[in-house]
Amino acid sequence: MRTPADRILLTLKTHPPGETLALAGALGISRQAALQHLERLVADGLVTHTDERRGVGRPRRIWSLTA
């Protein structure tokens, strides 16, 4: 069985890039849980992000795999 972090990596590999909420929904976990896994993957050097402005409000965080 794959861990949520493994599933996030697979999702980003097959359907790049991904937003936090979309990744959480695809994996059936909360947005907060997805964010915790993503931050660990960033610390491990496997994932990176960019912030994208879309009108008013906070920018969206877009996740992708590192080279």
Side-chain angles (χ1 to χ4, degrees), residues 5 8-9 12 36-47:
I8 287 172
L9 291 172
L12 287 174
Q36 288 176 357
H37 289 294
L38 286 161
E39 291 297 336
R40 268 189 236 124
L41 292 169
V42 166
D44 291 342
L46 299 172
V47 173

Side-chain angles (χ1 to χ4, degrees), residues 8-9 12-13 15-19 23 38 41-42 45-50 61-67:
I8 287 172
L9 291 172
L12 287 174
K13 184 176 182 178
H15 303 294
E19 293 183 28
L23 288 167
L38 286 161
L41 292 169
V42 166
L46 299 172
V47 173
T48 189
H49 65 80
T50 57
R61 188 151 280 183
I62 308 299
W63 302 91
S64 59
L65 298 177
T66 57

Side-chain angles (χ1 to χ4, degrees), residues 9-37:
L9 291 172
L10 181 61
T11 301
L12 287 174
K13 184 176 182 178
T14 57
H15 303 294
E19 293 183 28
T20 309
L21 192 57
L23 288 167
L27 300 174
I29 58 176
S30 70
R31 180 191 167 283
Q32 213 42 40
L35 190 55
Q36 288 176 357
H37 289 294

